[in-house]
Amino acid sequence: MNTADIAGVVAAEQGIDKAAAKRVIDATLKAITDAAKKGDEVSLPGFGKFKVADRPAREGRNPATGATLTIAASKKVSFTPAKALKDALNG
């Protein structure tokens, strides 16, 4: 399922046109992205939480040559599903 598919479902359920639904979805995703850039946690009750975590620099190896290299520090976004979502998936 992609953004267009989700927009179609939202449009049908809410009685709005697909373009308006797509704008709402795009705005929602932008808000989540902006919050993640600031390091904020985004909690969607009944769905889950998006959290930003720092990954420190670490040593790694090039699998082709075996040479040691440094992997730069970075940030990652993790998702923790809510109990309601887990329950829906597992019956």
Side-chain angles (χ1 to χ4, degrees):
M1 183 172 252
N2 59 32
T3 306
D5 296 335
I6 295 171
V9 171
V10 170
E13 287 186 12
Q14 296 301 312
I16 59 176
D17 63 271
K18 198 170 178 179
K22 176 117 172 48
R23 286 192 302 273
V24 170
I25 292 166
D26 289 343
T28 303
L29 295 176
K30 183 181 181 317
I32 293 170
T33 301
D34 291 346
K37 283 182 182 177
K38 290 190 257 178
D40 295 340
E41 179 180 292
V42 177
S43 179
L44 303 172
F47 186 71
K49 291 182 183 179
F50 295 93
K51 297 179 190 177
V52 177
D54 290 322
R55 296 187 67 174
R58 60 196 190 279
E59 277 194 7
R61 293 201 177 272
N62 181 331
T65 65
T68 302
L69 54 99
T70 301
I71 301 170
S74 63
K75 294 182 184 222
K76 71 170 195 155
V77 176
S78 63
F79 176 74
T80 304
K83 183 179 184 315
L85 179 58
K86 287 190 240 180
D87 290 347
L89 291 174
N90 296 310

